[in-house]
Amino acid sequence: MKNYIGASYLASFGALGVASCCVLPMTMMLLGLGGSWQAVFGKIAAASYYVLAMSTALVVASWFVSRRRGSLARLKWWLGGTTLVTAIAWVIVFNETRINDLLIMQM
């Protein structure tokens, strides 16, 4: 696997982690894993849009580099996967309040 694909996946999963930083504490509280350690997620939430934007830029750059090198046909499934993970991260961020409301109703 090419280095830029690996960097793209790392950025995508980082973006997914940052996107779920406000949903994850609620889920863990539902599972009984509450605690003061969850205050750390507030600091991460402040940077979520920046991390998502950088991740999206890396995914776009990976598509561009792969097309430019002529390896798009061989790497399209890897690139599609990283694009999907980044898209899921954006969906979580944009629907964060709805997801939190749903989780609060489950308590």
Side-chain angles (χ1 to χ4, degrees):
M1 185 165 42
K2 304 286 184 186
N3 289 338
Y4 57 90
I5 300 293
S8 178
Y9 263 101
L10 183 65
S12 293
F13 281 109
L16 186 62
V18 168
S20 64
C21 74
C22 295
V23 176
L24 191 61
M26 292 295 240
T27 306
M28 290 193 177
M29 284 181 6
L30 277 173
L31 296 173
L33 299 172
S36 62
W37 62 273
Q38 293 179 351
V40 123
F41 289 109
K43 295 178 182 177
I44 296 171
S48 64
Y49 287 108
Y50 298 114
V51 172
L52 281 168
M54 288 174 29
S55 173
T56 304
L58 275 173
V59 169
V60 169
S62 293
W63 277 96
F64 179 73
V65 168
S66 180
R67 185 178 187 280
R68 183 113 176 171
R69 290 186 178 177
S71 59
L72 187 61
R74 192 179 66 230
L75 297 173
K76 67 181 172 186
W77 294 107
W78 288 101
L79 291 167
T82 190
T83 304
L84 179 68
V85 171
T86 305
I88 290 171
W90 278 109
V91 167
I92 289 172
V93 163
F94 286 137
N95 294 308
E96 180 181 322
T97 13
R98 290 182 190 156
I99 295 170
N100 280 337
D101 289 343
L102 178 69
L103 291 173
I104 287 172
M105 289 191 331
Q106 298 297 322
M107 290 183 175

